[in-house]
């Protein structure tokens, strides 16, 4: 019986030896990115569900090991068959001689492949980006290459499905995933080194709404839509008030909103103070005329004539300061007697937006009787949020539409940016 036992034990060792040797072996796969050689070795091989040792090897164009790089590994698996998406990241530790190692936890097995993206940085410059595909329980490491190196599309749940074009699996209706050929990476046209690439798993592209477009040189505009309110142009507003007291005898403009033109009569006023000043002016004017006729050059009366002339000019200046126009003063002189009622005129063309006067009312000096606004140009106060403020500058074009008439479009430009912030709205 002893020889038979020894034969059985020997046979068991022979049968078990390949399995033990396979679990502990390591296979190394190399990619060439530009002039750099990047290798990936996984221990154990085939990878296991759980912790695995990933070793990245880097050689420069001369074949020397690169020992001063930062190697970052990102690994992910999309959601499938009721299983949630999984992903993780790890930064390797330098192990010497251009080797970098990291412990990677592959949380699922079967025939589900993991996408492995390796980014190599040196002095804040990206040396290379490689993409791999590993499957727990399956020996070997696949290389994901760039556009134009597609092999076929398959279903991760049904690997027997192979199609040349993208689509859905005819068995489970899942989106097909691409399988790439080995041995190449994307390169920039006319450039010998690898083009920087970004790998985003399909499920993440769907979550963040990735859109594709053709790269071209063009102007990029950003439209800011906001609300605003129309206001008077403060530089086109005039206030009509008095510098003396009196009674309103007659109103030519008698309601708010009335349109008036420049130099159009607004009202007539009677003021005893104004009448007495007119009388004083006329008396000085008559006295000045008599003295001018009787004065001989160089005589003593010539000095008195100069003083009378000064008093006359002072009285005239007082009327001008009370907003009595030169034309009205000439009428007073021509008439030869003071006007009991003085007419005041509109200083600008516009609309009466405030009216604080009625016929027969006594008004005091400084009372605002009318406020007139020129509406040929208006302001629109737009609410700009503080995060949009860097995009706004004086002189930018703007268009305004009305909620009740979207067909009407008014064009303008940014004229002023207020230095204050509304606390409640943060605009």
């Amino acid at each position: 019986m002893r020889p038979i036992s020894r034969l059985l034990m020997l046979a068991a060792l022979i049968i078990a030896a390949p399995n033990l040797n396979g679990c502990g072996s390591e296979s190394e796969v190399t990619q060439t990115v530009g002039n750099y050689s990047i290798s990936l070795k996984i221990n154990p091989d085939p990878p296991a569900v759980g912790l695995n040792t990933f070793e990245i090897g880097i050689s420069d164009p001369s074949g020397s090991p690169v020992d001063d790089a930062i190697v970052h590994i990102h690994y992910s698996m999309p959601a499938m068959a009721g299983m949630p998406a999984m992903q993780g990241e790890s930064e390797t530790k330098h192990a010497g001689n251009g080797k970098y190692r990291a412990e990677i936890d592959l949380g699922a097995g079967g025939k589900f492949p993991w996408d492995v993206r390796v980014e190599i940085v040196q002095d804040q410059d990206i040396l290379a980006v490689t993409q791999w595909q590993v499957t727990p329980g399956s020996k070997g490491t696949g290389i994901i290459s760039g556009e134009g190196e597609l092999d076929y599309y398959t279903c991760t749940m049904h690997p027997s499905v192979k199609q040349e074009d993208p689509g859905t699996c005819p068995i489970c209706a899942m989106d097909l995933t691409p399988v790439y050929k080995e041995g190449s990476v994307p390169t920039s046209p006319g450039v010998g080194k690898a083009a920087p690439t970004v790998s985003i798993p399909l499920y993440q592209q769907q979550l963040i709404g990735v859109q594709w477009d053709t790269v071209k040189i063009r102007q990029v505009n950003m439209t800011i839509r906001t609300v605003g309110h129309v206001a008077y142009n403060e530089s086109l507003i005039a206030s009509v008030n008095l510098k003396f007291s009196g009674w309103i005898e007659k109103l030519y403009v008698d309601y708010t909103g009335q349109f008036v033109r420049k130099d159009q009569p607004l009202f007539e006023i009677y003021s005893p103070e104004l009448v007495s000043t007119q009388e004083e002016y006329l008396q000085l004017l008559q006295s000045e005329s008599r003295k001018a006729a009787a004065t001989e050059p160089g005589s003593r009366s010539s000095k008195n004539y100069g003083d009378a002339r000064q008093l006359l000019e002072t009285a005239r200046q007082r009327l001008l300061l009370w907003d009595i126009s030169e034309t009205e003063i000439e009428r007073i002189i021509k008439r030869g007697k003071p006007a009991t009622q003085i007419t005041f005129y509109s200083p600008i063309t516009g609309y009466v937006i405030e009216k604080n006067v009625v016929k027969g009312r006594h008004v005091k000096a400084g009372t605002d009787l009318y406020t007139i606004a020129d509406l040929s140009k208006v302001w629109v106060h737009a609410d700009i949020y503080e995060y949009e403020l860097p995009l706004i500058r004086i002189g930018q074009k703007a268009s305004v539409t009305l909620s009740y008439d979207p067909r009407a479009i008014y064009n303008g430009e940014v004229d002023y940016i207020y230095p204050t912030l509304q606390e409640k709205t943060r605009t």
Side-chain angles (χ1 to χ4, degrees), residues 77-78 80-81 83 86 108-114 134-136 138 156-157:
M77 177 188 292
M80 58 186 69
M83 184 175 63
M86 291 179 285
K111 295 297 182 180
F112 304 130
W114 286 78
V134 298
T135 304
S138 298
T156 54
M157 291 294 296

Side-chain angles (χ1 to χ4, degrees), residues 202-346:
L202 179 61
Y203 76 96
Q204 288 184 337
Q205 296 181 25
Q206 296 171 345
L207 288 175
I208 64 179
V210 171
Q211 298 183 3
W212 298 87
D213 199 357
T214 303
V215 177
K216 62 182 72 173
I217 298 176
R218 60 186 176 186
Q219 185 176 3
V220 178
N221 295 322
M222 179 177 180
T223 301
I224 298 177
R225 299 184 63 88
T226 185
V227 296
H229 62 276
V230 181
Y232 302 113
N233 186 335
E234 296 177 9
S235 63
L236 299 177
I237 295 179
S239 177
V240 179
N241 52 48
L242 295 175
K243 299 175 182 177
F244 51 85
S245 300
W247 284 262
I248 302 299
E249 295 292 331
K250 187 175 182 179
L251 285 180
Y252 295 102
V253 177
D254 54 3
Y255 63 89
T256 303
Q258 185 172 347
F259 177 77
V260 295
R261 297 190 180 276
K262 185 178 181 181
D263 298 328
Q264 178 179 330
L266 297 176
F267 60 92
E268 292 181 1
I269 187 171
Y270 164 71
S271 171
E273 187 178 4
L274 182 58
V275 171
S276 64
T277 302
Q278 293 179 69
E279 291 177 344
E280 179 185 355
Y281 177 73
L282 290 173
Q283 291 175 4
L284 290 172
L285 185 62
Q286 294 173 2
S287 177
E288 186 266 347
S289 298
R290 290 193 300 266
K291 289 183 179 181
T295 300
E296 295 181 4
S299 63
R300 181 177 180 182
S301 59
S302 177
K303 180 180 180 182
N304 295 332
Y305 169 73
D307 294 339
R309 185 68 182 174
Q310 181 66 33
L311 291 174
L312 178 64
E313 187 61 31
T314 301
R316 182 184 180 88
Q317 190 65 29
R318 191 186 313 153
L319 292 173
L320 292 173
L321 293 175
W322 282 351
D323 296 330
I324 307 302
S325 65
E326 293 277 5
T327 304
E328 190 66 30
I329 294 176
E330 292 301 323
R331 289 199 191 103
I332 295 171
I333 296 173
K334 187 176 181 179
R335 192 166 48 242
K337 61 180 181 179
T340 56
Q341 297 178 3
I342 296 295
T343 303
F344 277 75
Y345 303 88
S346 174

Side-chain angles (χ1 to χ4, degrees), residues 1-17:
M1 294 298 293
R2 288 181 180 178
I4 295 176
S5 300
R6 289 178 180 177
L7 284 173
L8 291 174
M9 292 176 64
L10 181 60
L13 289 173
I14 292 173
I15 293 173

